[in-house]
Short mmCIF file of all heavy atoms in Angstrom, two decimals:
data_model
loop_
_atom_site.label_atom_id
_atom_site.label_comp_id
_atom_site.label_asym_id
_atom_site.label_seq_id
_atom_site.Cartn_x
_atom_site.Cartn_y
_atom_site.Cartn_z
N THR J 1 -3.97 11.05 -0.51
CA THR J 1 -3.22 11.24 0.72
C THR J 1 -3.64 12.51 1.43
O THR J 1 -3.70 13.59 0.85
CB THR J 1 -1.71 11.33 0.43
OG1 THR J 1 -1.31 10.17 -0.32
CG2 THR J 1 -0.90 11.40 1.71
N VAL J 2 -3.93 12.35 2.68
CA VAL J 2 -4.15 13.51 3.55
C VAL J 2 -2.90 13.77 4.39
O VAL J 2 -2.40 14.85 4.47
CB VAL J 2 -5.38 13.27 4.48
CG1 VAL J 2 -5.55 14.46 5.41
CG2 VAL J 2 -6.63 13.05 3.65
N GLU J 3 -2.37 12.69 4.97
CA GLU J 3 -1.17 12.81 5.77
C GLU J 3 -0.53 11.44 5.86
O GLU J 3 -1.21 10.43 5.97
CB GLU J 3 -1.54 13.29 7.19
CG GLU J 3 -0.32 13.51 8.08
CD GLU J 3 -0.75 14.00 9.46
OE1 GLU J 3 -1.95 14.22 9.66
OE2 GLU J 3 0.14 14.11 10.32
N LYS J 4 0.82 11.38 5.82
CA LYS J 4 1.56 10.13 5.91
C LYS J 4 2.31 10.05 7.24
O LYS J 4 2.78 11.05 7.75
CB LYS J 4 2.56 9.98 4.77
CG LYS J 4 1.96 9.64 3.43
CD LYS J 4 3.07 9.40 2.44
CE LYS J 4 2.52 9.02 1.05
NZ LYS J 4 3.61 8.80 0.08
N ASP J 5 2.45 8.81 7.71
CA ASP J 5 3.33 8.55 8.83
C ASP J 5 4.76 8.88 8.39
O ASP J 5 5.14 8.61 7.27
CB ASP J 5 3.23 7.07 9.25
CG ASP J 5 4.04 6.77 10.48
OD1 ASP J 5 5.27 6.69 10.34
OD2 ASP J 5 3.45 6.57 11.54
N ALA J 6 5.58 9.44 9.30
CA ALA J 6 6.92 9.88 8.93
C ALA J 6 7.82 8.72 8.51
O ALA J 6 8.79 8.91 7.79
CB ALA J 6 7.55 10.62 10.10
N THR J 7 7.49 7.51 8.95
CA THR J 7 8.34 6.36 8.63
C THR J 7 7.93 5.68 7.32
O THR J 7 8.59 4.76 6.87
CB THR J 7 8.28 5.30 9.74
OG1 THR J 7 6.92 4.81 9.85
CG2 THR J 7 8.71 5.88 11.07
N TYR J 8 6.87 6.17 6.70
CA TYR J 8 6.36 5.51 5.50
C TYR J 8 7.09 5.97 4.26
O TYR J 8 7.24 7.17 4.00
CB TYR J 8 4.87 5.78 5.36
CG TYR J 8 4.28 5.19 4.12
CD1 TYR J 8 4.09 3.82 4.00
CD2 TYR J 8 3.92 5.98 3.04
CE1 TYR J 8 3.58 3.23 2.88
CE2 TYR J 8 3.40 5.43 1.89
CZ TYR J 8 3.23 4.07 1.82
OH TYR J 8 2.71 3.51 0.67
N LYS J 9 7.62 5.01 3.49
CA LYS J 9 8.30 5.33 2.26
C LYS J 9 7.92 4.29 1.21
O LYS J 9 7.62 3.15 1.52
CB LYS J 9 9.83 5.29 2.41
CG LYS J 9 10.40 6.31 3.40
CD LYS J 9 11.91 6.22 3.40
CE LYS J 9 12.54 7.20 4.38
NZ LYS J 9 12.39 6.75 5.76
N ARG J 10 7.97 4.72 -0.06
CA ARG J 10 7.77 3.80 -1.17
C ARG J 10 9.14 3.29 -1.64
O ARG J 10 10.13 3.99 -1.59
CB ARG J 10 7.06 4.48 -2.33
CG ARG J 10 5.69 5.00 -2.01
CD ARG J 10 4.69 3.85 -1.88
NE ARG J 10 4.29 3.36 -3.19
CZ ARG J 10 3.59 2.25 -3.37
NH1 ARG J 10 3.28 1.49 -2.32
NH2 ARG J 10 3.24 1.85 -4.57
N ILE J 11 9.17 2.03 -2.10
CA ILE J 11 10.39 1.46 -2.64
C ILE J 11 10.10 0.91 -4.04
O ILE J 11 9.12 0.20 -4.24
CB ILE J 11 10.90 0.28 -1.77
CG1 ILE J 11 11.25 0.77 -0.37
CG2 ILE J 11 12.11 -0.38 -2.40
CD1 ILE J 11 11.64 -0.35 0.55
N THR J 12 10.98 1.26 -4.97
CA THR J 12 10.92 0.63 -6.30
C THR J 12 12.00 -0.44 -6.34
O THR J 12 13.14 -0.21 -5.95
CB THR J 12 11.19 1.67 -7.41
OG1 THR J 12 10.19 2.70 -7.34
CG2 THR J 12 11.13 1.02 -8.77
N GLN J 13 11.61 -1.62 -6.81
CA GLN J 13 12.51 -2.77 -6.77
C GLN J 13 12.67 -3.39 -8.14
O GLN J 13 11.71 -3.57 -8.87
CB GLN J 13 11.95 -3.81 -5.79
CG GLN J 13 12.84 -5.04 -5.60
CD GLN J 13 12.19 -6.06 -4.71
OE1 GLN J 13 11.41 -6.88 -5.16
NE2 GLN J 13 12.52 -6.03 -3.41
N LEU J 14 13.92 -3.72 -8.47
CA LEU J 14 14.25 -4.43 -9.71
C LEU J 14 14.92 -5.72 -9.34
O LEU J 14 15.88 -5.76 -8.56
CB LEU J 14 15.17 -3.56 -10.57
CG LEU J 14 15.67 -4.16 -11.89
CD1 LEU J 14 14.53 -4.25 -12.89
CD2 LEU J 14 16.81 -3.33 -12.46
N ARG J 15 14.44 -6.84 -9.87
CA ARG J 15 15.01 -8.15 -9.59
C ARG J 15 15.56 -8.75 -10.90
O ARG J 15 14.86 -8.81 -11.90
CB ARG J 15 13.98 -9.09 -8.98
CG ARG J 15 13.30 -8.52 -7.76
CD ARG J 15 12.13 -9.38 -7.31
NE ARG J 15 12.59 -10.46 -6.46
CZ ARG J 15 12.55 -10.43 -5.14
NH1 ARG J 15 12.05 -9.37 -4.51
NH2 ARG J 15 12.97 -11.44 -4.42
N ILE J 16 16.80 -9.21 -10.85
CA ILE J 16 17.46 -9.79 -12.03
C ILE J 16 17.89 -11.20 -11.67
O ILE J 16 18.75 -11.42 -10.81
CB ILE J 16 18.69 -8.95 -12.44
CG1 ILE J 16 18.29 -7.50 -12.69
CG2 ILE J 16 19.36 -9.55 -13.66
CD1 ILE J 16 19.46 -6.56 -12.86
N GLY J 17 17.30 -12.18 -12.31
CA GLY J 17 17.64 -13.57 -12.04
C GLY J 17 19.01 -13.92 -12.60
O GLY J 17 19.44 -13.39 -13.62
N MET J 18 19.72 -14.81 -11.90
CA MET J 18 21.05 -15.25 -12.34
C MET J 18 20.97 -16.71 -12.83
O MET J 18 20.10 -17.46 -12.39
CB MET J 18 22.06 -15.16 -11.20
CG MET J 18 22.36 -13.73 -10.78
SD MET J 18 23.78 -13.59 -9.65
CE MET J 18 23.08 -14.20 -8.11
N PRO J 19 21.86 -17.13 -13.72
CA PRO J 19 21.84 -18.51 -14.21
C PRO J 19 22.06 -19.51 -13.08
O PRO J 19 22.74 -19.21 -12.09
CB PRO J 19 23.03 -18.56 -15.20
CG PRO J 19 23.33 -17.14 -15.53
CD PRO J 19 22.92 -16.33 -14.34
N GLN J 20 21.50 -20.70 -13.22
CA GLN J 20 21.63 -21.71 -12.17
C GLN J 20 23.08 -22.17 -12.00
O GLN J 20 23.47 -22.63 -10.93
CB GLN J 20 20.74 -22.92 -12.52
CG GLN J 20 19.26 -22.65 -12.41
CD GLN J 20 18.85 -22.21 -11.01
OE1 GLN J 20 19.26 -22.79 -10.03
NE2 GLN J 20 18.05 -21.14 -10.93
N SER J 21 23.87 -22.05 -13.05
CA SER J 21 25.26 -22.52 -12.99
C SER J 21 26.22 -21.49 -12.38
O SER J 21 27.43 -21.72 -12.33
CB SER J 21 25.75 -22.85 -14.40
OG SER J 21 25.71 -21.68 -15.22
N VAL J 22 25.70 -20.37 -11.89
CA VAL J 22 26.56 -19.27 -11.48
C VAL J 22 27.45 -19.64 -10.30
O VAL J 22 28.57 -19.12 -10.18
CB VAL J 22 25.69 -18.02 -11.14
CG1 VAL J 22 24.94 -18.21 -9.82
CG2 VAL J 22 26.56 -16.76 -11.09
N MET J 23 27.02 -20.55 -9.43
CA MET J 23 27.85 -20.96 -8.29
C MET J 23 29.17 -21.53 -8.75
O MET J 23 30.24 -21.19 -8.22
CB MET J 23 27.10 -22.00 -7.45
CG MET J 23 27.91 -22.58 -6.31
SD MET J 23 26.98 -23.78 -5.33
CE MET J 23 26.87 -25.15 -6.48
N PHE J 24 29.15 -22.40 -9.77
CA PHE J 24 30.39 -23.00 -10.26
C PHE J 24 31.23 -21.99 -11.02
O PHE J 24 32.45 -22.06 -11.00
CB PHE J 24 30.06 -24.22 -11.12
CG PHE J 24 29.31 -25.28 -10.38
CD1 PHE J 24 27.94 -25.45 -10.53
CD2 PHE J 24 29.97 -26.11 -9.46
CE1 PHE J 24 27.25 -26.42 -9.82
CE2 PHE J 24 29.30 -27.07 -8.76
CZ PHE J 24 27.93 -27.23 -8.93
N LYS J 25 30.57 -21.03 -11.68
CA LYS J 25 31.31 -19.97 -12.36
C LYS J 25 32.06 -19.12 -11.37
O LYS J 25 33.18 -18.68 -11.61
CB LYS J 25 30.33 -19.12 -13.20
CG LYS J 25 29.79 -19.78 -14.42
CD LYS J 25 30.89 -19.94 -15.48
CE LYS J 25 30.32 -20.51 -16.79
NZ LYS J 25 31.36 -20.65 -17.82
N ARG J 26 31.41 -18.84 -10.21
CA ARG J 26 32.10 -18.05 -9.18
C ARG J 26 33.28 -18.83 -8.60
O ARG J 26 34.27 -18.23 -8.17
CB ARG J 26 31.12 -17.69 -8.06
CG ARG J 26 30.20 -16.54 -8.37
CD ARG J 26 29.58 -15.94 -7.10
NE ARG J 26 28.76 -16.90 -6.39
CZ ARG J 26 27.45 -17.05 -6.55
NH1 ARG J 26 26.82 -16.28 -7.42
NH2 ARG J 26 26.76 -17.94 -5.85
N ALA J 27 33.19 -20.15 -8.59
CA ALA J 27 34.25 -20.97 -8.02
C ALA J 27 35.47 -21.10 -8.94
O ALA J 27 36.60 -21.27 -8.45
CB ALA J 27 33.72 -22.36 -7.71
#
């Protein structure tokens, strides 16, 4: 890196899958 645009940011992301039956569990 020499210089970054002020709007540039890194994001760390975590994704957790839910069971397929979760809709009925919520109901």
Side-chain angles (χ1 to χ4, degrees):
T1 305
V2 177
E3 184 179 355
K4 285 185 179 180
D5 184 285
T7 63
Y8 177 72
K9 297 184 181 75
R10 298 287 282 169
I11 297 175
T12 301
Q13 183 184 85
L14 177 70
R15 306 171 85 98
I16 304 170
M18 293 191 285
Q20 290 301 314
S21 62
V22 73
M23 175 179 71
F24 299 103
K25 288 289 185 179
R26 281 198 298 267

